[in-house]
Each structure stands twice: as C-alpha cells, then as structure tokens.
C-alpha cells in the first residue's frame, strides 16, 4: 500500500537516486544522479537549504526553483512541461499539489506519484516516477480534462500542444552525445559542447527513423565508454519524438541545465473533452558514473528484468532475402533449407515475395494471402520441409503498408492514411494503412492470425518501410485530423492482440533496417533488425552503438556474402563472421552457392555461436576507450567476470605502426586468467612481420595472464590489416 511520504522523498537503486522535496505548491527536484546515501533528517535539511539559488539582478524577487512540472509560474523561461489552451484561453498553468504517494519496490528502487491540479486550464495532472532496480528512472504523466460537461463554458476542449518531461543537469555536464544516420548507416554518433540555448532534436517521420536521436547523453567533457559521469534519456515511443537539452544563463534553480523530451504532438492531435485523458509515453532517464558502458549496463538490466524478455537460447537464423530476393522457387528454397540445416541453422525465415501479386516491391502489399501462382499448394511444402529438418519457421510481413496495386487498395481506398484532398507521393511504391480505422485494424489482425495459425509460424519479421507524411485521418466531423499518435497506439494494440492469440510468437521490429528501435516497440517485440546493411565494416559501428541501449540478444547480427549487397565492398570471411557473432546471429546469403570451404567455416561459426551465446546473451557489454579510431576492442564479460569474449578489430590503417598496450575492460584485477585466440573462423591478415609473443602462444594453447596485466597494464595487440578481426577468449583460472 502507498505510504504517506516524508517532506523529502529519495528514490534509490543501483547507485543512482532521485531526490524530490514536497514543496508547495509544486514539488521541486533537489537531485538526480549519483546516490547520496541514506539521508538523515539533518542531511535532508542541508540538501533543502542548499537547493535555494541566489536572487539575480534584473530577475524575479524570489529564488527560482526547478519543479517537477516547470512552468512560467515558477519563473522558468525554458521549455515548459505543459503547453496547450482552451479555445485560446488557459495558457498559463498554475498548479498545486493535491496528493502524493510513495512506495518502495520489492527488488529495489521505488515509485513517487504526484497528483496536481491546474485550475487555470481546469486539468488534473499525475506525474509518476519509477526508479527501477537497474537504476533507470521511468517518468510518465497523465493529463485529464476536469471540465464539467454540464457547464456551457466547458464546450471548448483542451488542445494539448506539448508535454515535456524534464530533469536537471549539473554544471559539470558539458558535452552532448546523440545519434544521426541514414539507411544502411544507422546510429552514427555525434558530439558537441553544451552551450547556452537549446539543443533540440525533433522526429517527424511517424517512427523514430534511421536518423533517430536514439539516446541523448550529456556528460562531463571527454566522457568515454569506461570513464566519466553521464546522464542519458531515451523516449520510449514508436512515433514522432522530441529530445531536448537546454541551458539558460540563470540556470534551472541551483542546477545548470535540463534534459528532457517526449512525444512530439501535431497541432490539434490531442483534444481533451470533459473527463478525457492523455497519457505520455515513458521517458527513460539514467545516470552513470562509469561512462557509456555504465549507462548501457543500466538499460540492458532494465530490459533483461522484463518478464517478457527472451529467456531461452536465441536460435540461429537464416533469412532468405539476400539469398533469393523475390525469386520464390520452391525447389531452390528447399535446397536452401537443406543447406541451412547442414550448417546448424535453427530458424528459417521466408522474406518478402510470398503473397499475392508480389513479384517486385510495386504491388501486393495489403493482400496477405499466399500467392497461388507461385505457391499452388500454399507454403505447406516449404514449412513441412523446414520443420522436418528440425528448424523453426518464420515469415516476413509489412502489415501497416499497402500498395495501390493491390486488391485491398482497390476495394478499400478509404483505409489509406492520408488527406481527403488526395494522397501525396508514394515511398517505395507504398502508403500506410489507417490502423485507427476499426475495420482496417480487424482485417489485419484476422489476416495475420490466419497465417500464424495455418502455418504455425514461430517468428514474424515485421517491417515498416516508409515514413509517414501527411498522416491525417477523418475525424468525427469528417474533416482531416492528425493521426500519428492514433496510428502508433493502434499498432501497439494490434501486436498485443496478435500475441495474446499466439503467446509463443516472436516478432522482430524491422523498419527499413533500424528505423523503429525504441523501448515502446520493444515492450511487445522480441528483437530488432538494426540495419539492412550486412557489410561488416559498417556493422562494427552500427552494432556498437545499437548496444548503447539494447543487449546483444535483442539485436539481429547476420553474416552476409562478399561483396556486400548494400555497399559492394568485398570482405574476408573472418571479419564477416566475427562481426556477426556478437548479437542474435543469423545468415543472410545463398548457402547453395558457397564453396565447401565457405560452408565449413560457416558451420564452425555456427558451433561457436552456440558455444558462446549463453555468455553473449547474459553478460555485460564492454567497449575500450582507444585513442585511435581505426581500431576497436569490444566484448562481453560474464556478470561474475569469470569469462569473457573480446573482438579486436581494425577498420582502416593508422599513422601509428602499433597499438601499444590495450586494456581488456570488465575483468577483475585481483584474479588470474587464462586467455587464448580462437581460430575456428580463420585468422586475420596481419600488417606486421611477427605477432607479439603472447599472441603466438595464445594461438597454440591457453596462456595464464594475471588480472592486473589484462585490466590495468594491457596487452600489446597484433597489428591487423584493415577490415580484419581477432577473437580473444578469457576464462578465470581455478
């Protein structure tokens, strides 16, 4: 049961804390970041006293405070928590607290719920903070219109323009990291100093997009993977978003800046009539005192703590796309399945091209029935063959989209999401269906249910290939209304309903590769496809930064052919195979065209994946801070640091001839370890005459190296040729 809180509430978990003082009329944030310990009454009094800022010249006559719901009533001149109006009135919120609940969570952390009322706009607002055992803080708000339906003045709905969740940052948080990208080059990091003003990223694509900010981090200048304080935010929503970091000259109370974000609402999208409510998506905040790896640790634990998180071994996948594309010839696919089973594949996925009229990407989307011209006996012959070989069966779908050249578009053009004045340009020859239309939603649920039921489908690769522009739908009066929010909400309901009917079904979020990766979609899906690019040179970076939020078992990492289908770049087998090992591994190539030597190496890689997936899918992701951007060292270390697997990779040449000593992060410095270099995938080509002696010995057998040498002094690493990689296995001795 909720308890009556003290004047100061402290949520604590895993070395992080949020401290809120229940001031009137609105509580204020005293601290967010490192845990301050078990605060005594005297400590709380001191924290409250030192939370009062100076009164500045030419400013308010009282000290500014940074509240949990900052508005102009607090003297806050930055982005407010709430924006909206009732027919042009009620634009200056004036809030007061009406109730507070606080409770501890059984496994650590706690919840704080604050109830507010805005009598100017006649709203009730509930702000909820939940500090998870991982130390990640989830913040969510709900706004309800209190207007009396019997009051003539209540006829005007409250037009909600924006809700922004904000938390404070200290002066030392002076550098910003976020991400951009494009198709086949997703999650490219970018850094900048935090200066006065606003740094804002808006997503207006109907999904997070391949250029998603993904995770906005602000830290002490020069923060890296293993060092420095970092404060981070992820918006857990699969539609339009906004990320913000803002620094005003007067600060935010005693704090220097603010970090925040939320769903980006279109004008007129949320209109609250009497008694109606709107709930924000969860904004996930995290602090780390150990750099970006510490931040990743928190998010990985958050995801692994979910009851729905995949628990069993993640099956090795073969996806048919780059093997056959639209050439769905049964005999060819049967041979591909045979070869897949021979190399150790555990799940066979049939990609695009199986449904009616789908001979290229210009037709068929929306007609989710098997094409009798290509599959006269349905998918049964392939499915039975796949299952007879001991593999699971998966299928590609893109339910939210429709081609105009389809039976669905011809019979139900009113289901297409777009303005009544006429559709704008297509993208990839397709448009979006209006999922908020009940009949369209039911059609999709029934079509997917029939497919999954008939073929006992284990896995759906759920794609979403176009961005949403002019995403409007008919309102109650027949006029066009913004539909982006309703589209995402309907998508969530659709997936939830399908999974309720098929509890064992796994779903991958695939959106032109990595265009829809967020913790909203991952509440109901089981992995993501981070990029359509399988070029290992690009993948080393894409996977490295996707892992800033997601643990490896949720990230599809497939080995593709040489040359790469997306870049045309040739690559060595070793580099391709080592790169694709660190995730939920799979194959994206035509195995029937491989030489016996290539198949033997892929088979060895398959065995290696099964050997290491218990470690890779439960351990801590670590990344070394290196001065040379041409080389990478990353790995996964067991929670008890008793074992680890590292990848030493070179992306390009360097000015320096050798890398010097490189620390292996994450190991215990008070233990002794054995290390060896795994050679099953072949050895990289070298840009040197001879290896460092330890490497030659580790190629032959295990060698013993004390923890301080590995973790503090480091190993002199071999100098590899560009686009080469080496696998290093580590086990604790004794």
């Amino acid at each position: 049961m909720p308890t009556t809180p003290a004047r100061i509430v402290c949520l604590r978990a895993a070395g992080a804390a949020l401290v809120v003082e229940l001031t009137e009329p609105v509580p204020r944030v005293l601290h967010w970041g490192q845990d301050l310990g078990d605060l005594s009454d005297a400590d709380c009094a001191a924290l409250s006293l030192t939370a009062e800022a100076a009164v500045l010249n030419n400013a308010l006559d009282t000290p500014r405070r940074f509240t949990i719901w900052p508005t102009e009533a607090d003297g806050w001149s930055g982005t407010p928590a709430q924006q909206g109006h009732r027919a042009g009135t009620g634009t200056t919120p004036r809030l007061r607290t009406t109730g507070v609940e606080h409770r501890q969570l059984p496994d650590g952390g706690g919840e704080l719920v604050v109830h507010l009322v805005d009598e100017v706009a006649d709203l009730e607002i509930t702000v909820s903070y939940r500090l998870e055992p991982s130390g990640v803080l989830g913040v969510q708000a709900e706004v309800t219109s209190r207007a009396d339906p019997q009051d003539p003045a209540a006829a005007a709905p409250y037009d909600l323009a924006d809700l922004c969740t904000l938390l404070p940052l200290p002066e030392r948080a002076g550098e910003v990291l976020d991400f951009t990208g494009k198709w086949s080059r997703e999650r490219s990091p970018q850094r900048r100093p935090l200066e006065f003003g606003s740094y804002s990223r808006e997503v207006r694509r109907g999904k997070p997009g391949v250029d998603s900010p993904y995770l906005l981090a602000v830290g002490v200048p020069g923060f890296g993977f293993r060092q420095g304080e970092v404060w981070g935010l992820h918006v857990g929503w699969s539609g339009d978003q906004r990320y913000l970091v803002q620094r005003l000259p007067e600060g935010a109370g005693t704090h220097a800046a603010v970090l925040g974000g939320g769903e980006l609402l279109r004008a007129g999208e949320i209109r609250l009539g009497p008694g109606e409510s709107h709930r924000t998506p969860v904004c996930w905040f995290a602090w780390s005192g150990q750099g970006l790896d510490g931040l990743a640790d928190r998010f990985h634990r958050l995801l692994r703590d979910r009851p729905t998180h995949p628990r069993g071994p993640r099956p090795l996948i073969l996806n048919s796309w780059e093997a056959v594309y639209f050439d769905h010839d049964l005999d060819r696919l049967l041979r591909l399945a045979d070869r897949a089973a021979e190399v150790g594949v555990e799940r066979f996925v049939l990609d695009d091209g199986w449904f009616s009229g789908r001979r290229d990407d210009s037709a068929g989307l929306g007609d989710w029935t098997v094409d009798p011209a290509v599959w006269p006996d349905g998918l049964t012959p392939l499915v039975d063959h796949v299952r007879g070989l001991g593999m699971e069966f998966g299928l590609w779908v893109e339910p939210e989209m429709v081609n105009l050249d389809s039976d669905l578009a011809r019979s139900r053009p009113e289901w297409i999401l777009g303005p009544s004045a006429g559709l704008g340009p297509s993208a990839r020859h397709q448009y979006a269906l209006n999922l908020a239309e009940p009949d369209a939603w039911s059609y999709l649920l029934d079509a997917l249910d029939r497919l999954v039921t008939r073929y006992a489908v284990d896995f759906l690769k759920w794609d979403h290939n176009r961005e949403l522009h002019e995403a409007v739908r008919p309102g109650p009066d027949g006029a066009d209304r913004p539909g982006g929010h309703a589209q995402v909400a309907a998508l969530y309901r659709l997936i939830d309903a399908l999974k309720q009917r098929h509890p064992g079904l796994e779903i991958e979020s695939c959106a032109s590769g990595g265009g829809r990766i967020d913790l909203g979609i991952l509440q109901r899906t089981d992995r993501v496809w981070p990029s359509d690019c399988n070029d290992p040179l690009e993948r080393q970076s894409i996977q490295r930064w996707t892992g800033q939020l997601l643990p490896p078992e949720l990230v599809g990492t497939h080995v593709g052919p040489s040359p790469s289908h997306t870049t045309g770049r040739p690559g060595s087998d070793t580099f391709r195979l080592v790169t694709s090992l660190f995730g939920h591994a799979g194959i994206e190539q035509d195995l029937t065209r491989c030489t016996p030597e290539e198949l033997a190496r892929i088979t060895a890689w398959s065995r290696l994946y099964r050997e290491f997936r218990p470690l890779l899918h439960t351990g801590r992701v670590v990344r070394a801070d290196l001065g040379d951007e041409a080389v990478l060292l990353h790995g996964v270390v067991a929670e008890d640091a008793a074992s680890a697997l590292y990848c030493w990779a070179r992306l390009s040449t360097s000015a320096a001839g050798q890398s010097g000593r490189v620390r292996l992060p994450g190991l215990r410095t008070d233990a002794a370890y054995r290390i060896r270099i795994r050679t099953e995938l072949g050895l990289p080509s070298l840009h040197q005459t001879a290896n460092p002696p330890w490497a030659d010995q580790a190629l032959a057998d295990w060698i013993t190296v004390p923890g301080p040498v590995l973790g503090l002094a480091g190993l002199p690493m071999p100098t590899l040729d560009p686009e080469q990689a080496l696998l290093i296995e580590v086990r604790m001795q004794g």
Side-chain angles (χ1 to χ4, degrees), residues 482-708:
H485 175 85
Q487 185 79 356
V488 176
L491 165 68
Y492 288 171
R493 293 196 306 273
L494 179 61
I495 297 176
D496 291 345
L498 184 62
K499 282 209 160 188
Q500 186 175 15
R501 294 186 183 186
H502 303 278
L505 177 67
E506 288 197 5
I507 296 177
E508 172 186 86
S509 176
C510 172
S512 297
R516 187 159 65 188
I517 299 180
D518 63 88
L519 298 191
I521 199 69
L522 274 164
Q523 287 184 23
R524 41 196 49 88
T525 56
D526 305 278
R527 78 170 212 162
V528 302
W529 183 233
S531 179
D532 282 342
C533 182
N534 292 309
D535 182 330
L537 185 62
E538 303 293 339
R539 273 294 186 129
Q540 281 284 342
S541 176
I542 292 168
Q543 292 170 196
R544 181 187 214 198
W545 291 108
T546 301
Q548 188 56 51
L549 185 68
L550 305 186
E553 64 269 25
L554 297 182
V555 181
T557 55
H558 291 193
V559 59
S562 177
S564 165
H565 285 204
T566 53
T567 65
R569 183 188 288 125
S572 71
D573 283 359
T574 300
F575 191 46
R576 291 185 294 118
L577 293 167
V578 169
T579 300
S580 58
L581 192 65
F582 287 83
H584 183 182
I587 298 169
E588 198 88 15
Q589 69 180 103
D590 188 354
L591 297 179
T592 66
R593 297 186 177 183
C594 290
T595 66
E597 293 76 17
E598 290 172 322
L599 288 174
R601 194 160 289 177
I602 291 173
T603 303
W605 167 81
S606 169
R607 287 195 298 267
L608 204 63
Y609 172 69
R610 284 191 292 276
E611 176 186 346
F612 280 106
R613 66 185 167 190
L615 166 66
L616 295 171
H617 298 166
T618 62
R620 296 173 53 239
V621 171
V622 296
R623 296 160 293 183
D625 289 306
L626 303 174
D628 185 352
E629 294 184 355
V631 289
L632 301 176
L633 179 80
H634 63 86
V636 178
V637 180
E639 283 288 342
D640 61 0
S643 60
L645 186 68
Y646 294 95
C647 170
W648 169 247
R650 174 167 287 280
L651 309 182
S652 61
T653 59
S654 302
Q658 46 185 314
S659 301
R661 287 183 178 269
V662 175
R663 296 174 174 181
L664 303 189
L667 301 176
R668 286 174 50 181
T669 57
D670 61 349
Y673 287 93
R674 297 183 302 146
I675 67 172
R676 64 174 172 172
I677 295 173
R678 299 300 293 256
T679 61
E680 294 93 329
L681 308 183
L683 291 176
S685 62
L686 303 173
H687 200 74
Q688 60 186 27
T689 301
N691 269 322
W694 77 264
D696 280 335
Q697 293 182 36
L699 283 168
D701 200 356
W702 290 99
I703 64 170
T704 298
V705 185

Side-chain angles (χ1 to χ4, degrees), residues 133-450:
S134 60
V136 178
L137 179 68
V139 188
Q140 191 170 36
E142 185 171 22
V143 177
T144 302
S145 176
R146 296 196 313 167
D148 183 352
Q150 305 304 319
D151 182 354
Y158 183 78
D159 281 290
L160 183 59
D162 183 49
L163 292 176
C164 187
T165 300
L166 297 163
L167 282 178
L169 296 171
E171 174 69 28
R172 61 188 179 277
E175 187 176 20
V176 180
L177 166 71
D178 68 340
F179 299 88
T180 183
K182 61 180 183 178
W183 180 76
S184 282
R185 199 179 189 275
E186 295 84 353
R187 281 163 301 289
S188 297
Q190 53 186 11
R191 286 184 182 247
R192 68 194 67 224
L194 175 57
E195 298 174 337
F196 288 111
S198 299
Y199 176 63
S200 179
R201 294 285 306 278
E202 292 188 348
V203 173
R204 296 177 177 270
R205 302 182 185 275
K207 59 182 177 181
V210 293
D211 67 334
S212 168
Y214 193 55
L215 188 142
L216 180 59
V218 189
V220 297
F223 67 89
F225 289 118
R226 306 296 298 174
Q227 53 81 32
E229 274 191 288
V230 189
W231 294 258
L233 163 67
H234 172 79
V235 178
W237 179 247
S238 306
D240 291 346
Q241 306 171 337
R242 182 156 69 118
Y243 288 78
L244 171 77
V245 58
Q246 192 169 55
R247 185 181 183 193
L248 304 181
E250 68 270 25
T254 53
H255 313 285
V258 296
L259 173 66
E263 179 185 4
L264 188 150
L265 299 174
R266 303 301 180 101
E269 187 162 22
I270 304 297
R271 312 190 79 198
L272 301 178
E276 293 182 336
S277 299
H278 172 76
R279 180 174 293 179
T280 69
V282 178
C283 284
W284 298 100
F285 293 85
W287 167 87
S288 163
Q290 291 83 42
L292 291 167
D293 278 3
L295 210 62
D297 278 347
R298 294 194 185 279
F299 280 108
H300 295 182
R301 182 181 171 190
L302 174 76
L303 288 160
R304 286 170 172 168
D305 283 349
R306 300 172 301 160
T308 58
H309 191 74
R311 302 296 172 192
R314 310 301 289 135
L316 183 67
I317 289 178
L318 182 136
N319 187 62
S320 71
W321 180 242
E322 290 193 7
V324 302
Y325 291 105
F326 289 108
D327 183 14
H328 281 206
D329 175 79
L330 178 59
D331 289 340
R332 183 179 180 188
L333 287 165
L334 294 177
R335 292 194 300 272
L336 182 62
D338 288 339
R339 196 58 56 83
E342 290 170 8
V343 301
V345 167
E346 297 159 313
R347 175 182 287 167
F348 185 96
V349 180
L350 182 65
D351 210 293
D352 194 0
W354 55 267
F355 48 97
S356 295
R358 190 66 166 178
R359 302 280 55 80
D360 56 37
D361 66 357
S362 66
L365 282 177
D367 298 341
W368 299 110
T369 56
V370 178
D371 193 335
V374 179
W375 299 92
D377 299 314
L379 299 179
T380 301
L382 176 63
V383 174
D384 288 350
H385 190 72
V386 165
R387 296 200 186 283
L389 293 168
M391 295 184 289
E392 297 178 356
F393 179 73
L395 198 61
W396 179 94
V397 292
E398 194 174 1
E400 298 154 81
M401 298 297 160
V402 62
N403 292 126
L404 295 186
D405 186 2
S406 67
D407 291 342
L408 181 66
R410 285 184 283 269
S411 63
R412 292 288 185 269
E414 70 276 12
W415 287 1
I416 299 176
L417 189 67
S420 56
L423 297 174
S426 61
R428 292 184 58 155
H429 311 291
Q430 65 193 50
Y431 294 89
L433 286 173
N434 178 10
L435 299 191
E437 161 58 48
D439 290 340
W441 187 93
S442 297
Y443 164 80
L444 289 175
L445 177 60
D446 291 343
L448 294 168
D449 180 39
R450 283 194 300 271

